[in-house]
């Protein structure tokens, strides 16, 4: 095979999965690194309010201590920023002081724990189809029984299901912050987001969407209403999107 042919094969091998919009492992031998897509997004526009908020969040994230989530996280990956989003999520708590933050996708609990780390966060509802005790998402759960109480509860439900969604629509409209970190399987977010967006929030609401540059998420992200801002360079390497909603 000529060098030119082999190059062509390599390019095609990378593009083919992309056209099928599957999640693909990326080049590093590490957990959940994957190929993402980088291309201009002419439909996106941020408002002054969202740009100001983003600048405030970047400054506040730098103040979040590099201590593996106060010792709760298993390794220094959780301190990585930019690259990971955990310190940014604590900063969102510090800056917005949400009475209620909703964390969609509990998994091993680290996004819920990083919100709770901010003393300014009132309470967190974390939602998953899997109960936290049996979660096994690249490791055992980081949650403990005593994390649950007035500041944290878990709801076990399938938010992609219209009836299940309706049962939680009020709480989702009440939230000041919603973190959307589901499976990105090309199904869940595509079903959940239209239900979620059909119901306006009760007050200003910041929606943080993970993995917006992962191939299963690109189209969905680009179809979201403005004001929105791709904050990936100051968030998770696989894409961090901010959407600001008003009543
Ligand atoms: C990427 S993980 C969440 C990671 C977590 N937010 C963190 O930062 O540690 C995605 C989670 O979405 C959950 N999930 C999958 N389908 C779901 C559904 N239909 N409704 C709610 N959660 C779902 C999975 O069980 C998994 O725990």
């Amino acid at each position: 095979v000529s060098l030119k042919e082999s190059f062509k094969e390599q390019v095609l091998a990378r593009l083919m999965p992309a056209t099928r919009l599957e999640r693909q492992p990326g080049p590093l031998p590490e957990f959940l690194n994957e190929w993402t897509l980088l291309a201009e997004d002419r439909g996106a526009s941020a408002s002054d309010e969202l740009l100001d908020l983003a600048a405030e969040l970047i400054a506040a994230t730098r103040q979040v201590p590099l201590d593996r989530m106060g010792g709760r996280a298993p390794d220094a990956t959780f301190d990585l920023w930019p690259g990971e989003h955990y310190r940014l999520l604590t900063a969102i708590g510090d800056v917005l002081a949400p009475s209620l933050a909703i964390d969609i996708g509990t998994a091993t609990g680290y996004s819920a724990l990083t919100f709770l780390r901010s003393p300014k966060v009132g309470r967190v509802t974390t939602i998953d189809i899997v109960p936290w005790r049996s979660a096994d998402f690249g490791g055992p759960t980081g949650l403990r029984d005593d994390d649950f109480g007035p500041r944290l509860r878990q709801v076990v439900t399938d938010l992609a299901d219209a009836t299940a969604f309706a049962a939680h629509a009020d709480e989702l409209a009440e939230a000041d912050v919603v973190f959307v970190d589901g499976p990105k399987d090309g199904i869940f977010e595509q079903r959940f987001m239209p239900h979620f967006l059909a119901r306006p929030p009760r007050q200003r609401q910041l929606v943080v969407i993970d993995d917006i540059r992962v191939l299963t998420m690109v189209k969905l992200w680009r179809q979201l209403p403005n004001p929105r801002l791709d904050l990936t360079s100051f968030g998770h390497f696989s894409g961090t999107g901010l959407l600001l909603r008003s009543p």
Side-chain angles (χ1 to χ4, degrees), residues 6 8 31 40 43 46 75 152 165 173 175 177 193 197 204 236:
S6 135
K8 197 171 131 195
F31 176 64
E40 65 181 330
D75 59 64
L152 179 66
F165 177 87
V177 171
M193 280 314 270
L197 293 175
R204 182 176 82 152
H236 194 192

Side-chain angles (χ1 to χ4, degrees), residues 85-86 103-111 127-130 137 157-160 179 181-184 188:
H85 49 213
Y86 295 96
D103 169 52
I104 299 174
T106 312
T108 45
Y110 291 107
S111 50
I127 303 179
D128 207 293
I129 39 168
V130 180
F137 193 77
T157 193
D158 177 359
L159 283 180
F179 179 48
D181 187 11
K184 293 82 152 201
F188 171 76

Side-chain angles (χ1 to χ4, degrees), residues 159 165 180 188-198 207 209 217 220 224 243:
L159 283 180
F165 177 87
V180 184
F188 171 76
E189 285 78 8
Q190 282 76 4
R191 288 188 183 157
F192 163 75
M193 280 314 270
H195 292 307
F196 173 60
L197 293 175
V207 186
I209 302 158
M217 292 291 287
L220 178 81
L224 294 182
L243 174 70

Side-chain angles (χ1 to χ4, degrees), residues 69 84-90 92-93 98 100-107 109-115 124-128 159 172 175-184 188-189 192-193 196 205-212 217 235-236 238-243:
M69 233 183 262
E84 274 297 344
H85 49 213
Y86 295 96
R87 289 172 71 218
L88 170 69
L89 297 177
T90 301
I92 287 172
L100 172 64
I102 295 188
D103 169 52
I104 299 174
T106 312
Y110 291 107
S111 50
L113 285 170
T114 202
F115 275 126
V124 174
T125 296
T126 182
I127 303 179
D128 207 293
L159 283 180
L172 282 157
D176 309 281
V177 171
V178 178
F179 179 48
V180 184
D181 187 11
K184 293 82 152 201
F188 171 76
E189 285 78 8
F192 163 75
M193 280 314 270
F196 173 60
Q205 180 181 72
L206 180 70
V207 186
V208 183
I209 302 158
D210 186 38
D211 284 353
I212 59 164
M217 292 291 287
H236 194 192
S238 51
T240 296
L242 301 184
L243 174 70

Side-chain angles (χ1 to χ4, degrees), residues 108-151:
T108 45
Y110 291 107
S111 50
L113 285 170
T114 202
F115 275 126
L116 288 172
R117 179 165 200 202
S118 167
K120 301 217 172 144
V121 172
R123 61 195 171 91
V124 174
T125 296
T126 182
I127 303 179
D128 207 293
I129 39 168
V130 180
W132 67 271
R133 268 181 223 282
S134 38
D136 180 11
F137 193 77
T141 187
L143 291 164
R144 303 189 297 233
D145 281 306
D146 62 4
D147 290 319
F148 293 87
R151 288 188 79 215

